[in-house]
Amino acid sequence: MQIYHIPWIYTPVRTVLAIWHQLTKTEIPELAKCSVLMRERSRVEETIHAMQRAGAGSLQVISDFDMTLTRFAHNGKRVPTTHNILDNRLLIDEDCTKKIRELLNTYYPIEIDASRTAEEKRPLMVEWWTEVHELLIQQRIRKDMLAQAVKESSAMLRDGYQLFFDRLTEQQVPLLIFSAGVGDVLEEVIRQHRVFYPNVHIISNYMDFDQTGVLRAFKGQLIHTFNKRDGALSHAAGLRELQGRPNVLLLGDSLGDLTMADGVPEHQNILTIGFLNDKVEERKESYINSFDIVLVQDETMDVVNAILGCITSSRHK
């Protein structure tokens, strides 16, 4: 009996796979931008290509809102968060504004302090937002004035937001926005940007208005930056649209946002993207160690859109 030797059979399988991936992968030039930091580029690329092979039908996007989908700053000025938008004389008086700013100056440095653990921060965040919500309730905010307050604000979604929202709705990919902000204001911001599509789902702090349309309380459990895991576990299970979508693209601007995908059952691939907006030098290391991709002071959705374009393209599936 003659034995035929076929040399390539002895090439290690891993090498063959590596060559195959090299031949079939789609390059994403945006990942070479100097604002992009990655701990393990090869793992990022492997995850993107695994997601691409599975296709849009297996994907869901989970995102924070303030300073993630919205810009951090524009022309050197901070862009307002959903809470900041309420700082409008139509809604609250000067004394309330002053008190809310004092609370911000006390607690925001704690929220972004890289030397404190999430456990240390958690009770302080509850303290902060509970006090803010109490002040807002005292102002008897009117529901019918919210749209005008958003209109008068300088709220801005990141450059490239239109392509981001359009592509997700066209590909029928659910977008779960998970925000420690004010849900009613958040909805109004995306409504006024004309991107509040049926595939968009929001978990946030919603106002409870009385029969005359005056704020009387906030609904349900308080959501803050460091308890999103609890919200993820309790809410995500109830969203039928998210079932059977084991691949997750997660977007956030805080380390607390990394727990937003904890409610996803049997996930296969999770790619996390962190927007590092300020205090770059002191936070860079912890972000690089925590997120797969870190975007440093990048006010656009360019990298996110490029990755989504790759995942949802029909090539090499």
Side-chain angles (χ1 to χ4, degrees), residues 50-61:
M51 288 175 156
Q52 185 192 47
R53 287 191 295 276
S58 297
L59 179 68
Q60 58 176 292
V61 178

Side-chain angles (χ1 to χ4, degrees), residues 192-210:
Q192 291 188 19
H193 281 80
R194 295 189 164 86
V195 288
F196 197 179
Y197 299 136
N199 65 313
V200 177
H201 309 279
I202 299 164
I203 297 172
S204 189
N205 297 302
Y206 276 91
M207 294 173 158
D208 187 12
F209 297 95
D210 67 18

Side-chain angles (χ1 to χ4, degrees), residues 59-110:
L59 179 68
Q60 58 176 292
V61 178
I62 302 178
S63 181
D64 172 52
F65 187 70
D66 288 317
M67 298 177 282
T68 297
L69 294 181
T70 64
R71 291 181 64 121
F72 177 76
H74 181 60
N75 292 337
K77 280 187 70 176
R78 285 289 304 269
V79 168
T81 64
T82 53
H83 277 100
N84 297 148
I85 289 168
L86 296 172
D87 182 4
N88 180 307
R89 288 297 155 265
L90 289 170
L91 304 173
I92 66 174
D93 61 32
E94 212 166 316
D95 185 50
C96 182
T97 292
K98 187 167 165 281
K99 286 174 180 168
I100 287 175
R101 286 206 182 135
E102 282 166 5
L103 289 169
L104 176 75
N105 294 337
T106 303
Y107 290 101
Y108 181 64
I110 296 170

Side-chain angles (χ1 to χ4, degrees), residues 3 9 16 32-33 64 68 70 112 117-118 138 140 170 205 208 232 262 296 302 308 312:
I3 295 171
I9 283 177
V16 172
K33 285 170 72 171
D64 172 52
T68 297
T70 64
I112 65 168
T117 66
Q138 288 165 21
R140 297 178 56 80
E170 281 160 16
N205 297 302
D208 187 12
D262 287 6
V296 179
D302 294 352
L308 276 174
T312 60

Side-chain angles (χ1 to χ4, degrees), residues 40 51 87 89 164 186 234 241:
E40 292 178 76
M51 288 175 156
D87 182 4
R89 288 297 155 265
F164 172 76
L186 189 168
S234 61
E241 296 90 333

Side-chain angles (χ1 to χ4, degrees), residues 132-141 214-218:
V132 168
H133 288 175
E134 283 304 320
L135 286 168
L136 294 173
I137 291 163
Q138 288 165 21
Q139 293 293 300
R140 297 178 56 80
I141 289 171
V214 171
L215 177 64
R216 63 177 178 188
F218 276 81

Side-chain angles (χ1 to χ4, degrees), residues 211-222:
Q211 288 173 318
T212 64
V214 171
L215 177 64
R216 63 177 178 188
F218 276 81
K219 298 175 184 173
Q221 182 203 356
L222 172 73

